[in-house]
Amino acid sequence: QVQLVESGGGLVQAGGSLRLSCATSGITFSIYAMGWYRQPPGKQRELVARIRNGGVTNYADSVKGRFTISRDNAKNTVYLQMNSLKPEDTAVYYCNTYPYKYEYWGQGTQVTVSS
């Protein structure tokens, strides 16, 4: 019954921006820390950013200063604003709780950054 549905991915040129959304249902959203994760082609999934239920954020060094995670508890939604995108940001992006729960993984949304 828990569903996490990512959207907002697409094809963008290097230097461009995208805003990802993760709509959640079936969880008491406001009590959980949430994270954005990504899996580049041929590589392991990694944590990109996380946000505590109180709003404190943390970022991977590779995206710090370029990405911003936020949440809207009234909408049960978490966002990832991605600016100054680089080809190495190309990946399938997923949201999940932090720490993640295996059974919560959704389909993700593809982000492709061209040179």
Side-chain angles (χ1 to χ4, degrees), residues 11-62:
L11 176 64
V12 65
Q13 293 186 85
S17 298
L18 286 172
R19 190 190 193 210
L20 307 184
S21 298
C22 172
T24 74
S25 61
I27 62 170
T28 307
F29 178 78
S30 62
I31 71 171
Y32 288 101
M34 298 293 296
W36 280 97
Y37 306 77
R38 69 185 181 188
Q39 187 166 25
K43 297 187 180 297
Q44 296 183 72
R45 185 147 43 196
E46 63 181 349
L47 179 67
V48 174
R50 60 184 170 99
I51 183 166
R52 299 181 188 178
N53 56 359
V56 176
T57 59
N58 295 92
Y59 300 92
D61 288 343
S62 59

Side-chain angles (χ1 to χ4, degrees), residues 65-80:
R66 300 187 297 120
F67 290 11
T68 303
I69 188 171
S70 61
R71 65 193 296 159
D72 186 338
N73 287 349
K75 295 183 177 181
N76 295 335
T77 301
V78 61
Y79 305 95
L80 186 68

Side-chain angles (χ1 to χ4, degrees), residues 2 18 21 52 58-59 67 84 88 95 98 102-103 106 115:
V2 174
L18 286 172
S21 298
R52 299 181 188 178
N58 295 92
Y59 300 92
F67 290 11
S84 302
E88 51 263 45
C95 65
Y98 183 87
Y102 179 83
E103 61 267 34
S115 300

